[in-house]
Amino acid sequence: TQGLVLAEALAAGVPIVAVDAIGVRETVHDGKNGRVIPGEDQDAFVKALNWCRDLKPAEYRQLKDKAQMDAQQYSIDIT
């Protein structure tokens, strides 16, 4: 739930899997640039990781592209 880590992951095009919390809600758009887990639920976390792993290459690329696009809102020029 560390804001800087989330922004860095987005900028690197890494889909995020994170626990629902303040900051995560504003950064991670479930199914668009990563997955949001409703609580500290290990099974839900594993399912979310598997969801990312099992995406088709084109779907994964869309997730990465969306992550990088979303990272732009945290650029030095904007913030």
Side-chain angles (χ1 to χ4, degrees), residues 52-65:
C52 290
R53 181 199 63 202
D54 295 339
L55 290 171
K56 294 176 183 169
E59 294 170 327
Y60 189 78
R61 184 74 202 154
Q62 281 184 304
L63 204 66
K64 287 181 64 127
D65 290 348

Side-chain angles (χ1 to χ4, degrees), residues 3-75:
L4 183 57
V5 172
L6 299 174
E8 288 172 337
L10 292 175
V14 177
I16 299 169
V17 176
V19 174
D20 186 20
I22 295 171
V24 172
R25 288 181 206 120
E26 294 77 24
T27 307
V28 183
H29 307 280
D30 194 50
K32 304 291 184 194
N33 64 7
R35 296 305 307 262
V36 178
I37 307 307
E40 293 184 23
D41 179 337
Q42 185 176 7
D43 290 334
F45 187 75
V46 170
K47 285 176 82 172
L49 290 174
N50 287 336
W51 179 85
C52 290
R53 181 199 63 202
D54 295 339
L55 290 171
K56 294 176 183 169
E59 294 170 327
Y60 189 78
R61 184 74 202 154
Q62 281 184 304
L63 204 66
K64 287 181 64 127
D65 290 348
K66 176 72 169 127
Q68 289 178 320
M69 188 173 68
D70 290 347
Q72 294 174 14
Q73 69 182 325
Y74 303 107
S75 73

